[in-house]
């Protein structure tokens, strides 16, 4: 594994802060900086027309996989008759969320690790892991040893009625897992999974979350824009 310098926590960084306290938790889609899951479709961005080359207007073309950058997995991804991305309820995608800080040395977020943190009562749970510390969502290199959600933790989250689960790398599942149990457990309960969140400049705590995928009909996932705003003192991550 190539050593990476830790990314400093800076919630006021210009690249991620929006007006009215909103923080952009979305990885910028850029073939030069965005990791692509091993075996997935590469990203290709080009200009059909470009005013910088003398054209009268600028016109772009994008080619990429549905699970590029910050994206949402709909139940259809691993559930045969599951909902496609345009059918994921907005209620799951907008509301309070709790960002949980997972220590950098932890790769498997299993039930034991999950229960070391105050997650119960949160309606949406987002994990900030080694991937944020090491800046992996802004590195084109795909890292196999990203932190993942183990099936037993996924089961606890599902049983508790969590509405949405998110993580800061491009999969919530262990790389090379013998079966996609984490996806099957969460998506099987209709719980959308947000992958590839950009949480390098997000501290642990309770937030208001808006994460909206591109409205593509009949498919299992789509890139999304995710923003967070800290909840006021005294508010909780439970609606």
């Amino acid at each position: 594994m190539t050593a990476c310098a830790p990314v400093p926590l800076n919630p006021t960084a210009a690249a991620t802060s929006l007006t009215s306290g909103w923080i952009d938790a979305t990885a910028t889609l850029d073939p030069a900086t965005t990791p692509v899951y091993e075996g997935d479709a590469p990203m290709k961005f080009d200009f059909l027309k470009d005013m910088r080359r003398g054209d009268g207007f600028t016109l772009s073309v994008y080619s990429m996989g549905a699970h590029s950058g910050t994206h949402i997995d709909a139940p259809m991804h691993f559930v045969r008759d599951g909902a496609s991305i345009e059918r994921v309820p907005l209620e799951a995608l907008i509301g309070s969320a709790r960002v949980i800080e997972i220590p950098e040395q932890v790769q498997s977020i299993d039930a034991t690790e999950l229960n070391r943190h105050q997650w119960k009562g949160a309606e949406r749970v987002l994990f900030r892991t080694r991937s944020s510390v090491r800046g992996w969502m802004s590195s084109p290199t795909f890292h196999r040893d990203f932190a993942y959600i183990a099936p037993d933790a996924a089961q606890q989250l599902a049983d508790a009625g969590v509405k949405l689960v998110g993580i800061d790398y491009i999969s919530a599942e262990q790389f090379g897992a013998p079966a996609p149990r984490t996806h099957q457990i969460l998506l099987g309960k209709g719980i959308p999974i947000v992958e590839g969140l950009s949480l390098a400049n997000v501290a642990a705590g309770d937030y208001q979350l808006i994460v909206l995928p591109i409205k593509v009909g009949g498919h299992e996932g789509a890139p999304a824009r995710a923003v967070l705003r800290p909840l006021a003192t005294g508010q909780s991550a439970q609606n």
Side-chain angles (χ1 to χ4, degrees), residues 74 76 82-87 215-221:
M76 182 182 172
S84 49
I85 192 66
E86 84 282 9
R87 293 167 53 205
K215 192 174 182 181
V216 180
H219 286 266
E220 82 298 339

Side-chain angles (χ1 to χ4, degrees), residues 1 22 49-50 79 101 105-106 109 115 150 181 202 225:
M1 180 182 71
W22 288 100
K49 299 287 184 179
D50 191 340
V79 179
E101 180 87 21
Q105 69 271 19
V106 174
I109 307 171
N115 291 322
R181 291 296 299 138
V202 178
R225 188 70 180 262

Side-chain angles (χ1 to χ4, degrees), residues 1-2 8 11 45 49 55 78 89 105 117 169 173 177 227 233 239:
M1 180 182 71
T2 303
F45 294 175
K49 299 287 184 179
D55 295 321
F78 280 102
Q105 69 271 19
H117 306 274
Y169 205 56
E173 197 86 49
V227 294
T233 303
N239 286 341

Side-chain angles (χ1 to χ4, degrees), residues 171-236:
S171 181
E173 197 86 49
Q174 180 184 15
F175 181 82
R181 291 296 299 138
T182 292
H183 280 86
Q184 291 169 342
I185 290 166
L186 295 174
L187 299 178
K189 286 287 189 76
I191 301 168
I193 306 171
V194 187
E195 297 170 331
L197 286 163
S198 179
L199 299 180
N201 294 303
V202 178
D206 291 339
Y207 294 83
Q208 182 76 7
L209 168 71
I210 301 174
V211 53
L212 298 177
I214 298 172
K215 192 174 182 181
V216 180
H219 286 266
E220 82 298 339
R225 188 70 180 262
V227 294
L228 293 163
R229 182 166 62 182
L231 290 180
T233 303
Q235 288 183 289
S236 71

Side-chain angles (χ1 to χ4, degrees), residues 24-29 34-35 67-73 127 131-132 136-138 146-147 165-172 193-200 211 224-226:
D24 195 345
T26 315
T28 300
L29 289 169
T34 306
H67 301 264
S68 297
T70 305
H71 65 276
I72 295 177
D73 289 355
F127 293 105
S131 299
S132 290
W136 284 351
M137 276 310 298
S138 58
F146 55 85
V165 176
I167 198 162
D168 56 353
Y169 205 56
I170 44 180
S171 181
I193 306 171
V194 187
E195 297 170 331
L197 286 163
S198 179
L199 299 180
V211 53
R225 188 70 180 262

Side-chain angles (χ1 to χ4, degrees), residues 4-39:
C4 299
V7 176
L9 185 64
N10 181 10
T12 61
T16 58
S17 295
L18 305 175
T19 59
S20 303
W22 288 100
I23 300 168
D24 195 345
T26 315
T28 300
L29 289 169
D30 185 334
T33 60
T34 306
V36 174
Y37 196 90
E38 190 169 299

